[in-house]
Amino acid sequence: MLYERSAGAVMFYYDGKRTEYLLLLYGAGHWDFPKGNIEENEEELETVRREIFEETGIKNLVFIPNFRHEIRYFYRKKGELVNKEVVFYLVRSYEKEVRLSSEHKDYAWLDYENALRRLTYKTAKETLVRAHDFLASIGGRL
Ligand code: ATP
């Protein structure tokens, strides 16, 4: 079995009234959060920052403290089973303009309900529920 570890972000834009989450359409056809492989000697937060920049062009962001959510799934790569772990952080973006890389086919800033509908996988939906609940719990302290 192969093992992979990625790090990513539930990234949101808050204009003082509404919160929108950024989802990407992966080449394989699923909607998910920005994320990518944790490279050797890289800290999780560094991976998240690097991947967000590579995948969206966004640099102007802030990590929201005390949120970290890990998921696991299995998929097949050229017939071989891959055991994959992805750790998600919560990131506030201060930019809405997205410059996609060739890895993704589309992007969308969506409110909570629509993002929840759009995400392809159950584990990703669960991650969004956690992040949204966390933001609600810190409320005005953003
Ligand atoms: P990364 O963005 O971490 O570099 P990647 O683009 O190589 O990863 P994944 O997004 O992990 O790959 O997708 C690899 C396979 O796993 C695809 O077939 C995808 O449909 C499937 N997959 C992605 N996310 C999930 C999930 N949360 N649950 C189950 N299967 C998933």
Side-chain angles (χ1 to χ4, degrees), residues 6 26 28 30 32 35-37 55 71 73-75 84 103 121 123-124:
S6 279
Y26 280 64
H30 56 292
D32 207 345
K35 63 174 169 58
N37 187 46
E55 298 186 342
I71 66 168
Y73 52 91
F74 295 84
Y75 73 96
K84 181 153 182 174
E103 254 185 87
Y121 292 106
T123 45

Side-chain angles (χ1 to χ4, degrees), residues 130-141:
R130 294 287 193 97
H132 186 76
D133 288 352
F134 184 83
L135 282 177
S137 77
I138 59 173
R141 276 169 284 134

Side-chain angles (χ1 to χ4, degrees), residues 110-122:
L110 299 171
D111 65 24
Y112 177 59
E113 300 297 337
N114 284 307
L116 211 47
R117 268 195 282 270
R118 186 75 65 90
L119 284 164
T120 303
Y121 292 106
K122 186 165 166 259

Side-chain angles (χ1 to χ4, degrees), residues 19-35:
T19 302
E20 290 180 323
Y21 296 96
L22 181 64
L23 304 188
L24 303 177
L25 177 58
Y26 280 64
H30 56 292
W31 283 92
D32 207 345
F33 303 107
K35 63 174 169 58

Side-chain angles (χ1 to χ4, degrees), residues 4-136:
E4 287 179 3
R5 229 181 124 70
S6 279
V10 176
M11 189 150 73
F12 68 97
Y13 185 87
Y14 177 61
D15 66 2
K17 273 196 193 137
R18 273 175 292 272
T19 302
E20 290 180 323
Y21 296 96
L22 181 64
L23 304 188
L24 303 177
L25 177 58
Y26 280 64
H30 56 292
W31 283 92
D32 207 345
F33 303 107
K35 63 174 169 58
N37 187 46
I38 300 174
E39 290 174 3
E40 225 173 296
N41 300 321
E42 200 175 38
E43 299 280 349
E44 290 173 355
L45 295 191
E46 287 179 284
T47 305
V48 174
R49 204 175 269 285
R50 176 179 57 71
E51 289 289 344
I52 288 175
F53 184 64
E54 289 175 6
E55 298 186 342
T56 71
I58 292 176
K59 273 226 150 123
N60 192 356
L61 53 83
V62 168
F63 282 88
I64 305 296
N66 304 319
F67 182 90
R68 185 180 180 280
H69 180 68
E70 216 165 314
I71 66 168
R72 177 196 301 274
Y73 52 91
F74 295 84
Y75 73 96
R76 284 199 178 272
K77 193 165 160 175
K78 291 175 191 155
E80 196 163 356
L81 198 60
V82 181
N83 178 344
K84 181 153 182 174
E85 282 175 0
V86 188
V87 55
F88 287 100
Y89 287 86
L90 186 52
V91 170
R92 181 174 184 180
S93 173
Y94 287 86
E95 299 170 52
K96 263 194 114 169
E97 202 185 308
V98 172
R99 179 166 39 77
L100 284 181
S101 72
S102 58
E103 254 185 87
H104 302 108
K105 297 194 280 201
D106 202 1
Y107 71 91
W109 287 103
L110 299 171
D111 65 24
Y112 177 59
E113 300 297 337
N114 284 307
L116 211 47
R117 268 195 282 270
R118 186 75 65 90
L119 284 164
T120 303
Y121 292 106
K122 186 165 166 259
T123 45
K125 290 177 196 280
E126 284 165 2
T127 303
L128 179 61
V129 170
R130 294 287 193 97
H132 186 76
D133 288 352
F134 184 83
L135 282 177

